[in-house]
Amino acid sequence: MGLRKCPRCELNYIRDDEQLCNVCKRHMKGEVETDDVVTICTECGENPAVRGSELCAMCLREARRQENLEKMADDLTGSSVVDDMNGIDELEVPIDDDIPEIELEEIDKELGGDSNLGSDDMDEGEEEEDEEN
């Protein structure tokens, strides 16, 4: 019992007692071969892609998560939360009556007024450090 090439395709080997190879028999019956070619994910380039998609399961899940985050961010930009945050600069901080006026004046002196914001104190501290070294 020897082997010979299929007379139809001349690619596959068949036994002497067979007329066609299995591939040619399926093709003659009308069965279509499905290509079992594995497509690789276009995003990561490592994992096989999910059928009907160009992405693997992990990348597809991450893409959906990103879409949901963007939707949530869009929903927040239209809400009153952002409107409330825009007005935060306009808030007035009430001065606590428990702090004596003398301490408030000392704090102002330490800060050097509103324009300097403590820059004088830094210069004095730097001069003292230079003298010590």
Side-chain angles (χ1 to χ4, degrees):
M1 185 158 144
L3 294 176
R4 61 183 176 100
K5 284 191 175 186
C6 174
R8 184 164 185 257
C9 66
E10 295 184 359
L11 294 174
N12 300 316
Y13 286 92
I14 57 173
R15 289 188 218 137
D16 287 334
D17 58 341
E18 294 178 344
Q19 293 181 354
L20 297 173
C21 67
N22 291 337
V23 175
C24 291
K25 287 179 187 176
R26 273 187 263 144
H27 193 271
M28 295 289 282
K29 290 181 183 176
E31 294 178 15
V32 180
E33 290 184 39
T34 57
D35 290 336
D36 290 334
V37 177
V38 177
T39 56
I40 302 297
C41 176
T42 58
E43 186 71 24
C44 67
E46 296 176 2
N47 300 321
V50 176
R51 284 186 190 219
S53 176
E54 295 179 346
L55 303 175
C56 67
M58 292 185 336
C59 293
L60 192 60
R61 189 176 306 126
E62 179 64 22
R64 288 181 182 157
R65 187 180 73 80
Q66 290 293 330
E67 287 175 7
N68 289 338
L69 287 174
E70 289 175 7
K71 287 180 185 177
M72 288 173 47
D74 290 342
D75 291 344
L76 285 177
T77 56
S79 70
S80 64
V81 172
V82 173
D83 295 337
D84 292 342
M85 294 301 289
N86 288 338
I88 201 160
D89 293 335
E90 300 169 5
L91 291 177
E92 292 182 18
V93 178
I95 298 175
D96 193 3
D97 293 333
D98 295 338
I99 302 174
E101 187 68 31
I102 296 171
E103 288 184 22
L104 290 175
E105 289 175 7
E106 289 178 13
I107 292 172
D108 284 341
K109 288 180 184 176
E110 289 176 8
L111 293 177
D114 292 335
S115 62
N116 294 334
L117 293 176
S119 62
D120 294 337
D121 291 338
M122 285 185 176
D123 293 339
E124 291 175 12
E126 290 174 4
E127 290 174 7
E128 291 175 3
E129 290 177 6
D130 291 337
E131 291 174 12
E132 291 176 9
N133 292 334

